[in-house]
Amino acid sequence: MSTPRSMFSGPFGAPAVSAEDDVLPAGVRLGRRASVSAESMSSTAELSGSAQFPKTEHQKERLMAALTPNLLFRQLENEQVQSLLLAMREMRFAKGDVVIQQGDDGDFCYVAESGTLDVFLQPPGTPAEVAVRARPGEMGQKIASYGPGATFGELALLYMQPRAASVVATSDCVLWALDRVSFRSIMAHSDLKRRVMLDSFMKQVPLLQHLREDERLRVCDAIEFVEYPAGETVLHEGDIGTQFFLIVNGVAEVIKQNKTVSLLQRGDYFGELALLHRAPRAATVVASESSPSGKLRVGVLQEDAFTRLLGPLSDIMNRHAAMHYGSTPEAPAATEAPPGSPRSGQAPTS
């Protein structure tokens, strides 16, 4: 059998997507599972973060290069990836050591720092209890090889499933390992911080202040983070608005008639009337050169996602008015207010 080729490559040309996770034996499915893990993430200690292991800047760069192309890690926020890097611990294996045994319970994901490894797969239909007892030389057919920069075993971070293949060191190896509990603890802690931050921001937006707590949490989950390099245009005056923006980091310039009329910073927002009706944008917004990191980071909420989750915003406003005033609000103006204007519910940010 030829060696499977991945569409991704590690920092040194080795596969970054695990063959252990690409090639699955019969009976192992990647579909929806009823149970993901038995570990509880409810304790304060677990949510406060996991143990950290020192690394040189060069090692961090190599680990980042190995993780970011991987499907599991490439959708994560940079802060999340940095936390995961710090939680990875060094493990050393001698030539001939079995790093992963097919059929065994998986607890770790690995990134190879140095050395080489081979991947073996038992014949289809081999029971896990048989595969887990196989000795070196009895582990089935070789299907892939790993070198420095390879990432493998990542499904163990998500599912308590038996390993789908065996990985054996073919030379002395240094691997960086990330365990499932640390991964899930970091992700849970990050998700909690994200929700708290976005919930706080949304409470400042007049159009969203009438949402119930459960509705705000659902909206938080629909918000995506996007980064714009300094000088890039976020939206153009006159375009039909379909997105609402919350500034997470950086500075945005509001421009009308080629003149900067206000600056927006962390916690500010713009484009909120796009959630109510698709009105033309009243100004151009550009990522400012004065952003501390050279980038503007925003949370973006699509109008169609908001409507899909909660229904039209006008319905929510009508519900609030009926409950508190026994009436419904007047229809909004046909043109979106410029970001930072009193119509948008906030004063210009200087």
Side-chain angles (χ1 to χ4, degrees):
M1 177 185 295
S2 60
T3 300
R5 296 183 60 83
S6 169
M7 64 182 296
F8 301 112
S9 294
F12 307 102
V17 175
S18 168
E20 178 231 337
D21 295 326
D22 289 340
V23 184
L24 301 180
V28 177
R29 297 176 297 163
L30 293 181
R32 185 175 179 181
R33 290 178 169 84
S35 175
V36 171
S37 176
E39 291 94 5
S40 171
M41 295 290 108
S42 59
S43 73
T44 303
E46 285 172 322
L47 288 179
S48 65
S50 48
Q52 298 183 356
F53 301 89
K55 299 169 185 68
T56 66
E57 288 302 316
H58 182 58
Q59 286 173 326
K60 290 180 182 178
E61 291 174 2
R62 294 176 67 173
L63 288 172
M64 177 70 80
L67 292 179
T68 49
N70 188 280
L71 182 63
L72 177 61
F73 300 101
R74 64 178 173 175
Q75 302 296 333
L76 301 182
E77 304 297 326
N78 182 65
E79 181 181 351
Q80 294 173 318
V81 176
Q82 293 297 331
S83 297
L84 294 176
L85 292 185
L86 291 175
M88 299 184 79
R89 68 192 70 182
E90 182 183 285
M91 290 187 174
R92 294 178 178 270
F93 295 87
K95 180 179 180 179
D97 285 350
V98 177
V99 179
I100 289 177
Q101 180 87 40
Q102 183 175 338
D104 203 357
D105 292 332
D107 294 319
F108 290 93
C109 167
Y110 299 94
V111 176
E113 168 75 11
S114 63
T116 56
L117 309 99
D118 284 343
V119 184
F120 297 91
L121 184 66
Q122 294 283 0
T126 302
E129 60 270 19
V130 174
V132 78
R133 294 195 299 268
R135 300 177 180 178
E138 302 173 349
M139 294 184 172
Q141 184 175 12
K142 175 183 171 181
I143 60 170
S145 295
Y146 292 145
T151 303
F152 57 95
E154 59 268 33
L155 286 189
L157 302 180
L158 301 177
Y159 310 122
M160 294 186 68
Q161 282 279 0
R163 293 290 197 181
S166 298
V167 180
V168 180
T170 54
S171 69
D172 292 347
C173 295
V174 176
L175 307 180
W176 290 98
L178 175 65
D179 67 279
R180 180 172 58 247
V181 173
S182 293
F183 175 83
R184 298 188 65 228
S185 173
I186 290 170
M187 298 306 296
H189 183 52
S190 174
D191 184 64
L192 177 61
K193 289 199 305 180
R194 177 183 185 274
R195 284 191 170 198
V196 170
M197 176 189 67
L198 293 176
D199 183 67
S200 174
F201 286 175
M202 284 194 294
K203 288 178 180 177
Q204 303 174 35
V205 183
L207 284 178
L208 303 179
Q209 286 176 345
H210 308 317
L211 296 180
R212 300 190 302 264
E213 182 178 0
D214 64 302
E215 291 175 331
R216 283 199 306 273
L217 291 177
R218 289 161 67 187
V219 171
C220 284
D221 290 338
I223 291 177
E224 298 179 353
F225 289 133
V226 180
E227 288 189 343
Y228 293 90
E232 184 171 339
T233 299
V234 180
L235 56 85
H236 293 272
E237 182 177 358
D239 287 352
I240 299 301
T242 61
Q243 297 173 312
F244 163 61
F245 300 84
L246 288 163
I247 297 181
V248 178
N249 284 309
V251 179
E253 297 182 23
V254 181
I255 301 173
K256 287 184 68 67
Q257 298 179 349
N258 298 320
K259 181 179 179 180
T260 299
V261 296
S262 64
L263 298 177
L264 304 178
Q265 301 177 358
R266 178 180 172 88
D268 291 332
Y269 57 90
F270 55 95
E272 68 276 16
L273 289 187
L275 301 180
L276 189 57
H277 61 91
R278 298 191 174 192
R281 300 296 194 185
T284 296
V285 178
V286 178
S288 175
E289 300 283 351
S290 60
S291 296
S293 63
K295 293 181 180 180
L296 172 67
R297 190 163 185 250
V298 296
V300 182
L301 178 62
Q302 302 282 348
E303 180 269 338
D304 58 351
F306 183 94
T307 302
R308 185 172 63 253
L309 286 171
L310 303 180
L313 183 59
S314 58
D315 292 347
I316 297 172
M317 296 176 67
N318 289 338
R319 179 191 69 194
H320 174 78
M323 290 175 60
H324 292 80
Y325 311 113
S327 61
T328 57
E330 296 181 1
T335 302
E336 182 180 79
S341 70
R343 272 184 57 194
S344 71
Q346 67 182 83
T349 304
S350 58

